[in-house]
Amino acid sequence: MSEQAGRKRAAYYNSATYASPTWVHLARISDVNRTQSRSSSDRMYRGAKNKKKATGYKEHSFTFKYHVKKAGTTDTVLDKLQDSFDNDTVIDICFMNGKFDTGTTRTGVRGPVVVSKFDISEADEEGVTYDVELVEVEDDTIPEITAFSVTTA
């Protein structure tokens, strides 16, 4: 069994500036997958006995289900995701090893993303959900995805 259940981990988006973030908890997500990959190419030359690999750039993406709030309720997270999908609005996001509780240090990753997939599911007897995919993008104000740590007072 895993040391920590996935449900104890947390994701946030920044609603302020990069230097002085205000974190908004993505509390209504489930089934989070964080993909990290790196391309590779073959290196073969006459002096080597074995074929080697050269690694390329890293690639990051995140997928999850977003569970919509009850109809008539303001849902700022859904609005943020929809805006990113519709307008290519960059989101400063972090995925952490736990919630930002008082007196804790949390680690994870942080960087600029946009919503690249925003599929809706309207099952007859279940709540409405969105299948969301976030992909890393280039941004002038947010550094690329990297390790991130937060200590709360």
Side-chain angles (χ1 to χ4, degrees):
M1 183 173 191
S2 175
E3 179 179 313
Q4 182 183 39
R7 64 184 167 76
K8 300 218 182 244
R9 299 177 75 82
Y12 297 85
Y13 77 83
N14 179 8
S15 64
T17 66
Y18 184 82
S20 298
T22 299
W23 295 110
V24 178
H25 186 212
L26 279 72
R28 301 183 67 83
I29 64 174
S30 66
D31 301 332
V32 176
N33 290 293
R34 179 177 147 206
T35 302
Q36 300 177 96
S37 61
R38 184 188 295 246
S39 61
S40 65
S41 60
D42 291 338
R43 293 291 184 253
M44 298 171 285
Y45 47 91
R46 293 179 182 165
K49 294 181 182 179
N50 302 314
K51 180 171 37 173
K52 312 289 191 295
K53 295 283 186 181
T55 56
Y57 294 106
K58 293 178 186 173
E59 185 174 351
H60 299 270
S61 66
F62 308 89
T63 60
F64 55 86
K65 287 191 180 304
Y66 182 74
H67 301 266
V68 177
K69 287 186 175 183
K70 188 169 85 173
T73 305
T74 302
D75 195 335
T76 57
V77 173
L78 180 62
D79 293 343
K80 184 74 168 178
L81 295 171
Q82 185 75 57
D83 178 53
S84 178
F85 182 75
D86 290 344
N87 303 307
D88 291 330
T89 305
V90 175
I91 301 172
D92 178 10
I93 201 154
C94 66
F95 286 83
M96 308 302 285
N97 68 344
K99 293 179 184 174
F100 291 165
D101 296 327
T102 303
T104 61
T105 298
R106 299 298 184 202
T107 58
V109 294
R110 177 184 182 184
V113 298
V114 295
V115 175
S116 65
K117 178 183 171 187
F118 204 53
D119 295 344
I120 189 169
S121 175
E122 300 175 355
D124 288 343
E125 294 188 16
E126 295 183 22
V128 175
T129 61
Y130 284 85
D131 288 322
V132 180
E133 180 176 16
L134 306 175
V135 294
E136 183 176 13
V137 294
E138 189 171 26
D139 187 79
D140 293 337
T141 60
I142 306 168
E144 60 189 23
I145 291 177
T146 189
F148 180 58
S149 179
V150 172
T151 300
T152 56

